């Protein structure tokens, strides 16, 4: 269940985003529904108008647009993620700043959240072990490249 403060925060973000998008009809990325959010950013399903493909668009929270520490951390994430080439790590397509808001564009991976997968397939041990092995190999590869997540 969504907490009232979290709901108010999401609504405020959505209203700011709507105003910003309305003022920018020629933006390269057309933002779609929210896929997830964390403490620093929100990930949206989006459409790249230039390359005509769906992507994942990660946008720094609007309340962090002026927080230099958050911006520097987000930029470090871009650079680290862009160095990684692995079948189980999303590919970075683009990154930058638009209208004062930092963003990262990545390969869109369709599916369900890992938490839901665990909840619905808990009894299926073999597939969960195989999935864990893929995650472990991807994390190991990232560590070999000097990226710690």
């Amino acid at each position: 269940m969504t907490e009232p403060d979290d709901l108010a925060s999401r609504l405020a973000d959505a209203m700011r985003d709507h105003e910003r998008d309305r003022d920018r009809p020629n933006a390269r990325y057309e933002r779609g529904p929210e896929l997830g959010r964390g403490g620093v950013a929100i990930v949206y399903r989006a459409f790249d108008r230039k390359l005509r493909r769906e992507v994942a668009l990660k946008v720094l929270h609007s309340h962090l647009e002026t927080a230099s520490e958050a911006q520097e951390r987000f930029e470090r994430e871009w650079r680290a993620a862009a160095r990684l080439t692995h079948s189980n790590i999303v590919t970075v397509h683009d990154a930058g700043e638009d209208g004062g808001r930092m963003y990262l564009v990545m390969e869109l991976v369709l599916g369900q959240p890992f938490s839901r997968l665990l909840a619905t397939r808990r009894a299926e041990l073999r597939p969960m072990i195989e999935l864990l092995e893929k995650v472990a190999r991807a994390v190991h590869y990232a560590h070999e490249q000097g990226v710690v997540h």
Side-chain angles (χ1 to χ4, degrees):
M1 184 169 157
T2 304
E3 295 298 317
D5 289 340
D6 187 36
L7 182 59
S9 172
R10 286 176 185 243
L11 183 57
D13 280 344
M15 290 171 64
R16 279 190 295 273
D17 292 343
H18 175 72
E19 288 298 316
R20 184 172 289 150
D21 287 351
R22 190 182 68 193
D23 296 337
R24 301 185 55 260
N26 296 320
R28 176 172 175 179
Y29 302 103
E30 180 181 331
R31 191 176 48 233
E34 182 179 312
L35 297 175
R37 68 173 48 221
V40 175
I42 305 169
V43 179
Y44 298 95
R45 187 172 185 158
F47 184 73
D48 181 340
R49 291 179 173 138
K50 184 175 182 180
L51 298 177
R52 300 189 185 278
R53 65 179 175 187
E54 287 194 307
V55 294
L57 176 65
K58 186 173 187 175
V59 181
L60 191 66
H61 281 297
S62 59
H63 68 275
L64 296 174
E65 288 177 15
T66 58
S68 60
E69 186 177 317
Q71 291 177 337
E72 289 170 9
R73 183 174 159 202
F74 198 55
E75 192 167 346
R76 281 194 307 273
E77 179 184 340
W78 299 345
R79 296 188 194 300
R83 292 194 328 253
L84 303 177
T85 305
H86 189 276
S87 61
N88 294 312
I89 298 176
V90 295
T91 302
V92 171
H93 296 310
D94 190 16
E97 186 176 331
D98 186 40
R101 197 153 187 200
M102 298 176 80
Y103 66 89
L104 174 65
V105 180
M106 304 167 287
E107 167 187 10
L108 176 66
V109 178
L110 299 175
Q112 56 184 312
F114 188 64
S115 58
R116 188 175 306 147
L117 184 67
L118 283 175
T120 59
R121 299 181 70 183
R122 192 173 298 269
E124 300 175 43
L125 186 59
R126 170 66 68 196
M128 291 295 107
I129 291 172
E130 290 169 355
L131 181 59
L132 179 60
E133 179 186 13
K134 288 179 181 181
V135 170
R137 289 185 185 278
V139 170
H140 176 71
Y141 167 78
H143 289 176
E144 288 180 327
Q145 305 307 307
V147 176
V148 178
H149 189 278

